[in-house]
Amino acid sequence: PGDKVIPLCLPQCGECSFCQNPESNYCQKSHFYEPQNLLPDKTSRFSCKGKQIHHFLWVSTFAEYTVVPEYTVAKIDAAAPLDKVCLFGCGFSTGYGAAINTAKVKPGSTCAIFGLGGIGLSIVMGCKAAGASRIIAVDINKDKFAKAKELGATDCINPRDFQKPIQEVLTEMTGQGVDYSFEAIGHADTMIAALASCNMSTGVCVMVGELDSGSEIAIDPTLLLTGRTWKGTVLGG
């Protein structure tokens, strides 16, 4: 009682084979294996005016009070400023980790980030920390460009300013495509564009945004056949 904790959308039981694998950040008690709208015991602890309400990702952080599985909270330092450390629960860790842990961005490389929300901006910070030489931020909202540049973006481009697909623009800007691309929006078309914008030989594309449940993506297999790598990440790997 009284502990400060961060609710985590990706549980960590510490006992299963995934938790004990140093290269994995998934837990076999994760909601990916079960329905996300009820707690693991298949109950809902929420109600409003007598009507049952579903949970969300086992954390339900938009609620003023919540009930969560024990393994979805991490105890933190009592002195930690809550208005800042809350970002570790998903946003900052997911974006920064996508660059550092999942893509493993190398010094001197080129990167493209699709989407400049909190996660996209955290990817920009991760790419900068990793020593990327060129960080191209892509968004249809130019009002986000100043913050992106403040955090490390070297170029900011709006797809609506061009008559050609954005992957062609990025390929022309870099000569052969970027070394690393990240999709932090959650649209099928931008995921395909992000994959196509990294270079065909050694390019790595990381899927960070989440599509609607049940969605499918159709891609040209040649995009992968030539050598690109397409990876997913949750909570920054």
Side-chain angles (χ1 to χ4, degrees), residues 10-14 16 18-19 24-30 33:
L10 199 60
Q12 193 79 4
C13 74
C16 69
F18 282 9
C19 282
S24 167
N25 77 318
Y26 292 96
C27 174
Q28 287 170 317
K29 290 186 176 180
S30 164
Y33 297 88

Side-chain angles (χ1 to χ4, degrees), residues 4-8 70-76:
K4 288 183 179 179
V5 298
I6 297 180
L8 299 171
E70 184 179 16
Y71 43 80
T72 61
V73 292
K75 182 180 176 180
I76 60 172

Side-chain angles (χ1 to χ4, degrees), residues 111-113 116 120-121 123-128 132-138 144-157:
C111 304
I113 296 97
L116 298 176
L121 291 173
I123 297 172
V124 170
M125 294 167 70
C127 291
K128 181 181 178 181
S133 63
R134 195 170 186 188
I135 301 171
I136 306 170
V138 183
K144 298 182 178 182
F145 291 168
K147 176 61 71 174
K149 288 188 174 180
E150 179 185 332
L151 295 175
T154 57
D155 304 79
C156 293
I157 57 176

Side-chain angles (χ1 to χ4, degrees), residues 6 36 38 51 89 125 140 236:
I6 297 180
Q36 301 175 6
L38 296 173
K51 182 178 180 182
M125 294 167 70
I140 58 174

Side-chain angles (χ1 to χ4, degrees), residues 17-134:
S17 62
F18 282 9
C19 282
Q20 293 180 1
N21 181 346
E23 296 184 0
S24 167
N25 77 318
Y26 292 96
C27 174
Q28 287 170 317
K29 290 186 176 180
S30 164
H31 55 69
F32 283 105
Y33 297 88
E34 300 186 46
Q36 301 175 6
N37 56 354
L38 296 173
L39 291 176
D41 64 2
K42 304 298 186 287
T43 66
S44 169
R45 307 297 176 87
F46 293 149
S47 65
C48 180
K49 299 178 181 177
K51 182 178 180 182
Q52 186 185 66
I53 297 175
H54 284 128
H55 289 248
F56 180 66
L57 297 181
W58 295 355
V59 293
S60 303
T61 48
F62 284 111
E64 293 178 351
Y65 300 92
T66 190
V67 178
V68 302
E70 184 179 16
Y71 43 80
T72 61
V73 292
K75 182 180 176 180
I76 60 172
D77 192 307
L82 297 182
D83 62 330
K84 295 181 174 62
V85 295
C86 60
L87 297 174
F88 284 111
C90 172
F92 175 75
S93 305
T94 297
Y96 193 85
I100 301 294
N101 299 327
T102 307
K104 294 180 170 62
V105 171
K106 296 177 181 176
S109 59
T110 56
C111 304
I113 296 97
F114 288 70
L116 298 176
I119 290 176
L121 291 173
S122 298
I123 297 172
V124 170
M125 294 167 70
C127 291
K128 181 181 178 181
S133 63
R134 195 170 186 188

